[in-house]
């Protein structure tokens, strides 16, 4: 385990140095006043700013760690796309040098193209992140749901409220969801971004009170609520906002359908001594299965279990659809469904790419989204 961690850290630091080295070569070709000591000091502060911010916020919370977290968050995107682009830039320099182009000209031309592409990626990715779309899904559940013929659900997973995603963007969510005039609002986990402090300090619960629907707003925990280590305080703040957080709990809504909220998969960690979560079959064992069963489960890791247990509709998040391509190739391999819709048996499973972002507010190959789901209840004859 120690060897694996050391190897990962070694690769991480090595790649950071590689990016920094390319920057130093470019600056030395650009200006004669280049100072290596000043450059490398600034570079490592920026490259490690996210880690520094997480350490500082425990000691001196305030503007400094929040500012460093903003810088560090964007650096994740710079880091990923630099690892992809810089080898190509270095090959371009080598090709130009082979064609007898001077070193400085080759470095500056390749560097300029790299910066143009990187800025274009960050600009487009930022637009994708801050301009959410509404994804519409319509499904048919072959059950009677009391007097209900249809149920309209507005859902938003992975808000990641905190230092980066704050009051203004949350107000956009409340406004957009209310425009849909839903019957119920569902939040399938990762409402906060690790730390509950910004949620409390900015009084974001008061903003979330603005959701309007017939049957109310309900949430479940995601892995980030567990990472922050203060999920009980978060649950209390949500309860104060009038939003129940279901932790292996079920609710019968309007005598028409059941809402089933699971603890996140993070609760199963043996290493941390957490108590785990109930299997879906045990969680719904005492329910009337003739009524529709709607499941909230943050990570889409138990879709097969949900289908086998008799769940009718399940809502998930967590994956962000990779958030920044080509990360979606990884999430696609990890999960049976990493984004979109899957009909499995009688289960209708939907995985959202999420409303907020983790790390940089950048999305490439994915969009921030709100789900607008219409369930029609049509019992079989």
């Amino acid at each position: 385990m120690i060897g694996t961690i050391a190897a990962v850290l070694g690769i991480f630091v090595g790649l950071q140095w590689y990016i920094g080295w390319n920057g130093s070569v470019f600056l030395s070709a650009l200006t004669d006043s280049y100072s290596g000591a000043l450059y490398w000091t600034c570079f490592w502060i920026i490259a490690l700013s996210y880690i520094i911010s997480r350490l500082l916020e425990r000691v001196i919370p305030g503007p400094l760690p929040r500012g460093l977290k903003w810088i560090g968050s964007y650096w994740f995107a710079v880091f990923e796309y630099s690892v992809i682009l810089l080898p190509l830039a270095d090959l371009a320099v080598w090709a130009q040098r082979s064609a007898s182009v001077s070193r400085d000209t080759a470095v500056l031309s390749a560097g300029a193209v790299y910066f143009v592409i990187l800025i274009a990626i960050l600009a487009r990715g930022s637009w994708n992140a801050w301009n959410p779309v509404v994804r519409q899904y319509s499904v048919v559940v072959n059950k009677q749901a009391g007097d209900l013929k249809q149920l309209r659900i507005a859902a938003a997973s992975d808000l990641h409220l905190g230092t980066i995603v704050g009051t203004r963007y949350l107000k956009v969510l409340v406004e957009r969801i209310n425009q849909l005039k839903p019957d119920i609002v569902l939040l399938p986990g990762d409402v906060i971004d690790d730390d509950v402090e910004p949620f409390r300090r900015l009084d974001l619960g008061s903003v979330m009170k603005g959701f309007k629907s017939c049957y109310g707003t309900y949430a479940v925990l995601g892995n980030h609520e567990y990472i922050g280590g203060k999920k009980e305080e978060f649950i209390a703040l949500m309860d104060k906002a009038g939003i129940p957080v279901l932790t292996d709990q079920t609710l019968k809504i309007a005598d028409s359908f059941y809402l089933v909220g699971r603890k996140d998969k993070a609760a199963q960690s043996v290493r941390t001594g957490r108590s785990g979560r109930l299997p879906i079959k045990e969680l719904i064992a005492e329910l009337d299965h003739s009524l529709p069963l709607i499941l909230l489960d943050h990570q889409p890791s138990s879709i097969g279990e949900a289908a086998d247990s008799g769940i009718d509709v399940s809502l998930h998040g967590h994956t962000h659809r990779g958030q920044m391509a080509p990360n979606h190739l990884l999430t696609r391999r990890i999960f049976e469904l990493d984004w979109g819709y899957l009909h499995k048996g009688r289960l209708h499973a939907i995985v959202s790419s999420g409303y907020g972002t983790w790390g940089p507010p950048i999305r490439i190959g994915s969009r921030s989204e709100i789900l607008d789901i219409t369930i029609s209840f049509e019992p079989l004859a």
Side-chain angles (χ1 to χ4, degrees):
M1 186 65 167
I2 295 175
T4 300
I5 294 174
V8 170
L9 286 176
I11 293 171
F12 173 75
V13 172
L15 289 173
Q16 296 279 17
W17 176 87
Y18 171 69
I19 295 169
W21 173 79
N22 273 275
S24 70
V25 170
F26 180 81
L27 287 177
S28 63
L30 183 66
T31 177
D32 294 332
S33 59
Y34 164 72
S35 170
L38 178 61
Y39 167 79
W40 281 107
T41 300
C42 293
F43 173 81
W44 283 113
I45 290 175
I46 292 172
L48 301 176
S49 55
Y50 190 88
I51 297 172
I52 295 171
S53 74
R54 296 307 301 268
L55 296 175
L56 282 179
E57 64 188 5
R58 301 183 181 186
V59 182
I60 50 168
L64 178 59
R66 289 200 292 269
L68 287 171
K69 191 171 184 179
W70 266 96
I71 295 171
S73 295
Y74 273 102
W75 181 255
F76 282 130
V78 173
F79 173 79
E80 175 166 342
Y81 288 109
S82 292
V83 169
I84 295 172
L85 293 173
L86 285 177
L88 300 176
D90 291 339
L91 283 173
V93 171
W94 175 81
Q96 290 180 80
R97 295 288 289 139
S98 299
S100 300
V101 176
S102 69
R103 175 183 178 276
D104 285 357
T105 300
V107 168
L108 291 175
S109 62
V113 172
Y114 155 79
F115 279 116
V116 168
I117 295 174
L118 181 63
I119 291 171
I121 289 173
L122 297 181
R124 179 62 190 185
S126 181
W127 192 90
N128 286 344
W130 295 118
N131 291 274
V133 297
V134 176
R135 306 277 187 199
Q136 295 181 326
Y137 294 93
S138 296
V139 301
V140 176
V141 171
N142 298 127
K143 287 183 177 180
Q144 185 81 35
D147 295 328
L148 282 181
K149 301 301 179 184
Q150 281 192 337
L151 178 70
R152 191 170 187 186
I153 299 171
S157 74
D158 301 273
L159 277 59
H160 287 278
L161 299 172
T163 301
I164 308 300
V165 182
T167 305
R168 184 171 62 177
Y169 197 50
L170 177 58
K171 287 181 178 178
V172 172
L173 175 65
V174 172
E175 180 182 348
R176 295 287 295 275
I177 280 184
N178 289 345
Q179 288 173 355
L180 298 175
K181 302 185 185 311
D183 296 314
I184 191 169
V185 178
L186 302 178
L187 306 173
D190 279 3
V191 173
I192 60 172
D193 190 33
D194 300 351
D195 192 356
V196 75
E197 187 274 335
F199 189 90
R200 181 182 62 249
R201 171 171 47 84
L202 299 173
D203 194 18
L204 297 181
S206 293
V207 180
M208 298 182 80
K209 286 182 179 179
F211 287 124
K212 297 177 182 178
S213 64
C214 298
Y215 304 127
T217 304
Y218 301 88
V220 293
L221 298 174
N223 57 302
H224 279 259
E225 279 86 19
Y226 283 88
I227 291 171
K230 294 184 178 180
K231 61 182 185 297
E232 291 81 9
E233 181 181 356
F234 167 72
I235 292 171
L237 289 170
M238 290 287 278
D239 187 62
K240 182 180 177 182
I243 302 175
V245 178
L246 305 180
T247 53
D248 277 358
Q249 294 170 294
T250 62
L251 286 176
K252 191 176 186 180
I253 308 292
D255 288 327
S256 298
F257 63 93
Y258 288 102
L259 189 61
V260 181
R262 292 193 87 186
K263 292 181 180 179
D264 182 63
K265 187 180 178 182
Q268 293 178 313
S269 174
V270 176
R271 178 178 60 82
T272 58
R274 292 172 182 144
S275 60
R277 60 178 183 167
L278 294 175
I280 296 175
K281 281 188 177 180
E282 185 175 340
L283 183 57
I284 65 174
E286 302 301 320
L287 304 185
D288 179 2
H289 286 224
S290 68
L291 291 177
L293 306 175
I294 300 173
L295 171 71
L296 295 181
D297 189 2
H298 177 61
Q299 300 187 43
S301 55
S302 301
I303 288 177
E305 181 187 355
D308 293 341
S309 300
I311 297 294
D312 297 294
V313 178
S314 66
L315 304 182
H316 314 268
H318 182 64
T319 70
H320 295 217
R321 202 189 184 190
Q323 188 165 316
M324 298 186 297
N327 299 340
H328 66 289
L329 300 177
L330 180 61
T331 59
R332 190 182 296 171
R333 291 186 64 88
I334 293 175
F335 299 101
E336 179 180 6
L337 177 68
D338 76 322
W339 176 73
Y341 169 80
L342 175 67
H343 192 193
K344 187 166 188 173
R346 77 181 191 193
L347 172 69
H348 302 276
I350 298 173
V351 179
S352 174
S353 59
Y355 180 75
T357 53
W358 181 87
I362 301 291
R363 283 183 177 271
I364 297 294
S366 71
R367 289 290 299 273
S368 294
E369 66 180 26
I370 299 165
L371 301 184
D372 179 11
I373 305 166
T374 299
I375 304 176
S376 298
F377 301 109
E378 300 179 4
L380 294 174

